[in-house]
């Protein structure tokens, strides 16, 4: 993929978190570090997006999901704004873990039938292991 195309795609993926600097910066570092087939998988899905959780009245989470297109379920990664206050290592881990769920379509991976273990294992392969301390 040409670099200018990649920059434009990453810019679009960052647009949902653009107003929270810490999360935007972590997400950009992670997206640019992922294997190209992962980025291409996300870009091939017109429903894929990354957003911040919106808190409504009474701090209840309220998300406005895109309607699924075709037979595939809409994939989106929702990040909590409070992640901005986490350590870099924990923030990066959480973001990579959520992207791994999206890439794995919330399923298992190889020997990992538990989807949480699968997301942790893939995030670790990508360079973002679960930190010892949060
Ligand atoms: Zn998870």
């Amino acid at each position: 993929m040409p670099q200018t195309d990649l920059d434009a795609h990453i810019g679009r993926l960052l647009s949902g978190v653009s107003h929270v600097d810490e999360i935007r910066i972590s997400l950009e570092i992670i997206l640019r570090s992922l294997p190209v087939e992962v980025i291409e998988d996300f870009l091939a899905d017109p429903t894929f997006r990354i957003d911040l959780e919106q808190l409504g009245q009474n701090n209840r989470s309220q998300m406005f999901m895109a309607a699924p297109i075709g037979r595939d379920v809409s994939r989106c990664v929702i990040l909590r704004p409070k992640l901005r206050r986490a350590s870099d290592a924990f923030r990066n881990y959480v973001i990579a873990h959520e992207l791994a769920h999206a890439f794995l379509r919330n399923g298992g991976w190889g020997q990992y039938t538990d989807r949480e273990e699968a997301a942790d294992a893939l995030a670790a392969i990508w360079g973002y292991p679960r930190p010892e301390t949060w």
Side-chain angles (χ1 to χ4, degrees):
M1 184 184 314
Q3 187 64 41
T4 49
D5 288 1
L6 183 63
D7 288 345
H9 290 311
I10 286 181
R12 188 173 53 75
L13 291 176
L14 292 172
S15 63
V17 304
S18 61
H19 55 291
V20 181
D21 288 345
E22 296 89 340
I23 294 176
R24 187 193 71 245
I25 290 166
S26 285
L27 180 57
E28 180 163 10
I29 290 168
I30 293 164
L31 288 173
R32 289 187 183 281
S33 74
L34 293 179
V36 68
E37 63 265 27
V38 176
I39 295 293
E40 286 175 349
D41 174 67
F42 292 158
L43 297 179
D45 177 353
T47 69
F48 181 75
R49 65 188 178 87
I50 304 167
D51 257 321
L52 292 173
E53 183 182 53
Q54 319 261 343
L55 294 180
Q57 287 186 334
N58 307 321
N59 267 6
R60 288 209 187 103
S61 180
Q62 51 171 28
M63 285 311 307
F64 304 96
M65 315 272 286
I69 296 173
R71 59 190 157 72
D72 285 333
V73 174
S74 169
R75 283 191 295 168
C76 61
V77 170
I78 303 299
L79 301 171
R80 297 220 150 122
K82 70 180 181 187
L83 265 182
R84 71 177 178 274
R85 298 195 300 266
S87 66
D88 288 352
F90 184 68
R91 183 186 318 111
N92 290 349
Y93 155 73
V94 169
I95 294 171
H97 174 100
E98 296 304 325
L99 292 171
H101 274 310
F103 181 66
L104 298 172
R105 289 156 176 79
N106 252 338
W109 182 53
Q111 70 193 83
Y112 300 99
T113 53
D114 179 275
R115 64 186 194 174
E116 296 305 327
E117 289 179 16
D120 270 359
L122 186 54
I125 291 284
W126 288 343
Y128 306 99
R130 178 189 281 270
E132 293 286 315
T133 57
W134 298 12

